[in-house]
Amino acid sequence: MTTYIPIADRDEELHDHPHSFITKWVFSQDHKVIAIQYGCTSIFVGLIALVLSGLMRLQLGYPDSFAFIDPADYYQFVTMHGMIMVVYLLTALFLGGFGNYLIPLQLGARDMVFPFLNMLSYWFFFISVLILLASFLVSGGPTGAGWTLYPPQAILRGTPGHDMGITLMLASLAVFIVAFTMGGLNYVTTVLQARTHGMTLMRMPLSIWGIFVATILGLFAFPALFVSAVMMVFDKIVGTSFFMPAILSLGEAVDHKGGSPILFQHLFWFFGHPEVYIVALPAFGLVSDVISTHARKNIFGYRMMVWAIVAIGALSFIVWAHHMYVSGMNPYFGFFFAFTTLVIAVPTAIKVYNWVLTLWQGNIRLTVPMLFAMGFIFTFVHGGLTGIFLGNVTIDLPLSDTYFVIAHFHMVMGVSPVLVLFASLYHWFPKMSGKMFNQTMAKVHFWGTFLGTYAIYLPMHYLGFLGVPRRYYSYGTTDFIPDSAQTLNANITNAAIFVGIIQMLFIINMVWSVFKGKKADPNPWEATTLEWQTPENPPGHGNWGSKLPVVYRWAYEYSVPGVKADFVPQTIPPEEVEMEEGAGPYIYRGEEEHA
Amino acid sequence: MSNQAVDKVGHWQTVCDDWGDDKQAFKVHWGKFMMWIFLVSDTFIFSCFLVGYMKVRMTVTDPWPFPSEVFALTLFGNSIPLILIAIMTFILITSSGTMALAVRFSHFRDKKRIAQFMFITAAFGASFVGMQAFEWSKLIAEGVRPWVNPFGAPQFGSVFFMITGFHGLHVSIGVIYLITVAMKILKGHYDKTDYEIVEIAGLYWHFVDLVWVFIFAFFYLW
Ligand code: HEM
Ligand SMILES: [Cu+2]
């Protein structure tokens, strides 16, 4: 038997050099093209979700002024907005987009290990998006069950879209999971098996660590969603009773009995909570690299950062029932899940401290990506703190299903990851397109988004304390909601419309710069990681020309004393590092000592 | 690392060194590694199905039927419990053996033998699916449907058809997979590279067998 040759040691060139437009840009197997396809598709659906949120806000801020939004529409908007944002925008863009783009480039691989499967992954994702959008066109419209899709109401008559809508939603999710699995297998295998010479696991940029662990979470968490989608489709179409108890609906007994709605909640949140980290971990990773690069300092506590990512990933599988405190579960369960939830705060806090300590005394360059990254630290700390409230059973019970929850999760998993997405999109745009974006426009975009989202979500905490419930079309008159709450709501809506519109700056900037932007420097941020050292800009097919890069050190060699430049790329051999007059030879202290 | 050093720090250190090394974490073909992760992910799917089954079995309001009666077959005038399922299980486990032989011959690069044993394995798999179809039609003829069940809780039919169906789908895909790989081997598609693909297909097949053992235990013996 011959021994197996590592991918990095094989001298083969890529076999399939694409020639026609179709193989190059449509059915491409190149990870960079697939990444851009994922990116454009997810941003496109994300914009739809943004419009839906604007419509909801119009109704909430100015109740009954918009005749075209009736209560059923509102529920459909809530549902589609939530689901699209979480799954089809954030998951797809972080993993399908940045995962695809960065894994081979930052690890020094020519492509994913199985490019054909990678291409299929995108096209399955594309189909899932088509199915999702098709639900807007069928009779009855998309499902209005809320993004959690809880049965029994998800499939009972009386819930909007209980007919075709919910079926299409479940089908779309199932196809999405197949797509994710095909991509995810590639990401994990490429990270573990296709790194280049010298790229040890503990030299990988944190972006890769975040994406890698998040992908593993996805591969283990999405099965629960898949199974619940299959079982619910059966309940809906075939008439089984997995989740459906005997129940009266609109005065009639349904044809179901003996099912367990709580089972669905467990399955859903066994997926749903890790899903939060599927979105957050890549964000943690990407933002670490952005912060370190633009602060011209090595990331503080690299080893701790890696272990924190791994620990958070592992813990995220044993906290799911903190979403179910109000489901009537055993108080001892509540105790257990509250405890594990609060334990997660420890590695999370370590990460936050390390970001701040990376900035501390750094030579901070207030570039556009850096602005967004620093904005992220604010919103994430903010959302994380309210999470500690909600993790405790006794505090969660009165706050559950109020605007406090809305404010919490928008801060922590809505705004925060989105800010990282913008940071990363601006950071890597020069590499992806070879062009520079317009700085002024981008800075306006940042301040509008950052301040605007605070204007939206800060008041919502207060509304939550008043007890204003979430998922309500309008409130009528109640004892506990004062009239002034309506004024607040109107102002939140104004801010939301403003934030929505200002996102157009981003789109315009990107599209304009791709065609008309200034040519970008191959390494405009003076970063150390491999993707900035490619022979061509943007990198060509196969990424590295004839020879794979060799890695000599970790990804955070910034502002090393004695070195002339304030950064040392991972690919420069130690003897070629230029030193200042009088400084001794360059010594690499190693990633171990920085820990 | 010298041998002495290994003794000093213990074997865990060498394991960590291997994982933390550059290029690759495991000294295996990437395809095999990818199959492993896929199977772990698939394990989560089957586990969720089985956990769902257990939970539903606890919440149902009607009595759960006795598997040994429902799955009995009348042969020569005697009702023998679980006989068909015993045969099916036996066949599937045998097919794991023939698959192992195919893998063995792949180490000798013996194209004909590999293909031969893969075809035999596929044939066993196909007969398993055939018998499952027989069992399904028997239950259907007796009036069991995913939504009704003359023997007790309707959920019995729901879970039965869903889980065995999902497993049967895996077997059927496996049969197609094995046949495709065997044909490609005969055509000389892997002559220039390695026969790793046989082991990869083998992993999948053993997994599908293993899952069956769990389904068998939870469904027919509980
Ligand atoms: C300008 C940006 C956004 C605005 C104005 C906005 C607004 C809203 C509104 C009004 C609701 C419904 C509240 C209710 O009636 O219960 C909602 C729900 C939700 N949003 Fe956002 N949102 C925005 C961005 C995001 C982002 C980026 C995410 C990504 C995680 C997100 C995830 C969700 C989820 C999961 C729900 C819950 C849906 C449900 O209750 O089923 N939103 N949002
Ligand atoms: Cu959670």
Side-chain angles (χ1 to χ4, degrees), chain A residues 30-45:
Chain A
D30 187 322
H31 71 102
K32 300 182 288 300
V33 180
I34 296 173
I36 290 167
Q37 290 173 322
Y38 255 113
C40 293
T41 314
S42 55
I43 290 176
F44 171 74
V45 279

Side-chain angles (χ1 to χ4, degrees), chain A residues 454-507:
Chain A
Y454 260 103
I456 300 174
Y457 296 111
L458 214 47
M460 283 193 194
H461 295 85
Y462 173 66
L463 291 179
F465 282 136
L466 291 178
V468 179
R470 72 188 270 211
R471 292 181 176 164
Y472 266 51
Y473 169 72
S474 68
Y475 303 104
T477 33
T478 58
D479 288 344
F480 60 96
I481 307 178
D483 291 339
S484 56
Q486 193 46 51
T487 324
L488 202 52
N489 257 330
N491 284 316
I492 294 177
T493 296
N494 298 343
I497 301 300
F498 169 74
V499 169
I501 290 174
I502 210 158
Q503 301 314 310
M504 293 309 115
L505 279 187
F506 167 73
I507 304 287

Side-chain angles (χ1 to χ4, degrees), chain A residues 269 272-273 276 319-320 322-323:
Chain A
W269 287 113
H273 187 83
V276 174
V319 300
W320 76 90
H322 62 208
H323 298 273

